[in-house]
Amino acid sequence: MTIISKSLRWFAMVFLMLLIVATAFFSSVFPNGLSHYTAIIMLLAAVVIVAVGQKLISTINHFSPKQRKMVVIGLTVLIILSQVWIAFNFIDSGRADSFFVRNQAVALASGSLNWNKYFRVYANNVNDALLVSWLVRFTRFFGFSDPWLVINLLQFAWLDTALFAGYRILNSWHKQSGQIIFALTWFLCAPLYAYGVFIYSDPIVMPITIDVLALWLEFQKQIGKKRLMLVGLMTLLLVFGTLIKANMVVAVLAFVGLIGITCYRKQLRWKWGILWIIGLIMCLGLMTGLMHTVARDHGYQANSNQTLPFTSWIAMSLNPNWDGEYNYADAHAQMMLPTKKQKTQSEMKLIQTRLKNFGINGLLVHFALKMRVFLTNGTFGCFQLTSQWQTAPGWYIKNKSQINFWLTIWTQLLYLSLLMNLIIMFWLHKFHLENGFLVLFVLGLGAFHIVFWEVETRYALPLLPIILLWSSVGQSELVTLCYPVLSKVKGWHLIIIGLTLAMLSSQRIEFRTVLPSHIVTEQNDGKYFSNVKIKVQPQQTLTTRIVVPGENSKLQLTPTKNTKTMVRIRIKKGRKILKTTLGNAWKRHIIHYGKQAAGILTVTIKNVGKTPVLYGDAKANYPVASYHIQGHNNLYLRYFVLK
């Protein structure tokens, strides 16, 4: 083993140890922080999960190859059945960027060539909207009435390519027992289900790195035409990922590194390696140009004066008040500048000012805070993806806060145990050449968002299948080291799990500070970016209905202009009038009507003043709520129904 290899191993292990401490004590899941008592409990619980995994591996090692294969098949079937159930029962209405992508996709699929202004500002989502529009057309061609259900199923199938790629990689590394652990952790990983029903670019790019690695392993075994086909497939996957999400250029660079290392080791001729790299770059350029042409053919007209330049994202990433996360205030300030030149000049000045204000020490602290956002959240932001559902089980809606609370705890504990297994992997596992590709990708994606770009928790999603893969290897390696101890373990870990859950339950208030529970249902699309409003003229009436899935007592509306105008608001449930109130729009934006069971509310707003009043709504090409505003088929009132 070379000195460089040893140094990298030790660096990885030390970094992972620090990351485990940060995840337990300072995770971005809990922005208010955790007490040392609670953090230590979570660490102990994660150790118990690792120990249980080791007991499981030691049992698996006594299975015959056929038995192991049957267990993997059984777990895979269980995963697929769970995904199908989730796909049918959880259909997201979309919010923020996801809403704009869906809305534009439905418009394009219906033949419209008009693009929302949003896409001239955020041009990075144009390819995603085109892709989803083709999927919507596909579902309509086969006569499906609900495109989102079919897209959910297709997206789960796409995510599962990483599952099967993981099996292939572990088999190549002679870690057959690790396949069972990989499947089991996949089955128990809540973010994989949440992102399966989230229609946006993040889940689309998630499996690509693992898929490319599995194809690379197959490429090394093949000759002739099959090898050439695999070259083409890997190239197209990398290009596809970059077209959908620009940060996946990191995967392209990591793959170029893999080709270079392979050539250096004389496992691939330099001539073919250089040709492959040139072909990959040319393909990326050609496909980028092709997608621009396709977008123009679909009516999209780019406007460089409206698009946010790349400097905007760098300036945003240096905002000390947001730990480098996206914030609309920064973006909006740049949108208001009329030309690209003015935007760029303003952003460069802002970058220089913020760097000067930070200083070296301040900048390092800022990077640490960005790393906290990017790497310490085991949920990968999956509980912030949506807040409104087109379809969801009643029991989930009624108990959403409690369910999300326990799922958050579980995902964070699972994440801690995965990180612990990664230390073992880097300590004991023979380092394969292919791991270099994954390491380069992980380091590149981390550096891209932590050092250069704005950061969000969900941007780390492509790391999740890699973490699951490496963790499975770590579990497989650790069993031989720990077997003498584990063979004596009987029931103590179960006792600790029980005590841990009890202790965590006592800390419930502390955890739930980040899990709002007072909202029963909402329709909040239309506010982000465009802040759509509907005008209610004097003596005019606005009426809509709201399906409320749980106990409720308050309605919150969003008057946005002329809020002193007098309005009369009436709330009915069936034939019963729950509340009639008269007053200016702002003072009547929250209406208390007494505790009610689940049901359908009819809300009527009449402008009894002398000036028009505006209420927030959403203009949608697909249903974002059960009922639209009467007389306006594509308009949906914005509201929150509260307990």
Side-chain angles (χ1 to χ4, degrees), residues 95 383 386-389 394-402 404 512 514-525 527 546-558 590 593 638-643:
R95 65 177 286 270
F383 298 118
T386 189
S387 52
Q388 55 193 79
W389 297 93
W395 56 264
Y396 172 76
I397 297 297
K398 291 176 184 177
N399 303 287
K400 181 168 61 175
S401 177
Q402 293 86 346
N404 286 356
R512 288 183 64 185
V514 295
L515 297 172
S517 59
H518 60 286
I519 298 174
V520 182
T521 188
E522 66 180 273
Q523 197 303 98
N524 198 31
D525 284 327
K527 181 179 180 182
I546 302 171
V547 176
V548 187
E551 193 176 81
N552 58 98
S553 66
K554 287 177 283 187
L555 173 67
Q556 180 176 328
L557 301 171
T558 55
I590 296 181
Y593 48 81
R638 288 211 305 269
Y639 58 79
F640 297 91
V641 178
L642 313 173
K643 284 187 178 179

Side-chain angles (χ1 to χ4, degrees), residues 7 14 24 29 31 85 123 155 158 162 252 254 274 285 304 313 343 375 388 407 414 418 437 481 491 508 588 605:
S7 300
V14 171
V29 176
W85 186 85
Q155 190 154 267
W158 172 245
V252 174
I274 292 171
S304 61
W313 305 101
K343 285 181 171 68
L375 292 176
Q388 55 193 79
L407 284 176
L414 180 63
L418 294 174
F437 168 60
L481 187 69
R508 188 168 183 173
R588 297 297 182 269
I605 304 170

Side-chain angles (χ1 to χ4, degrees), residues 24-25 35-46:
F25 286 86
S35 68
H36 291 176
Y37 165 77
T38 307
I40 290 169
I41 290 171
M42 293 193 71
L43 282 172
L44 289 173

Side-chain angles (χ1 to χ4, degrees), residues 422-474:
L422 259 60
I423 294 176
I424 307 303
M425 197 279 294
F426 280 101
W427 179 21
L428 296 176
H429 181 56
K430 179 183 176 183
F431 204 79
H432 296 280
L433 171 64
E434 306 83 41
N435 261 324
F437 168 60
L438 298 180
V439 169
L440 285 174
F441 175 74
V442 171
L443 291 175
L445 191 66
F448 182 83
H449 286 291
I450 294 168
V451 178
F452 302 109
W453 215 249
E454 54 102 15
V455 65
E456 288 189 37
T457 303
R458 61 185 173 85
Y459 294 162
L461 185 66
L463 305 183
L464 181 55
I466 299 173
I467 292 170
L468 292 174
L469 179 73
W470 280 347
S471 174
S472 303
V473 174

Side-chain angles (χ1 to χ4, degrees), residues 48 68 313 569:
V48 169
R68 289 179 189 173
W313 305 101
I569 300 174

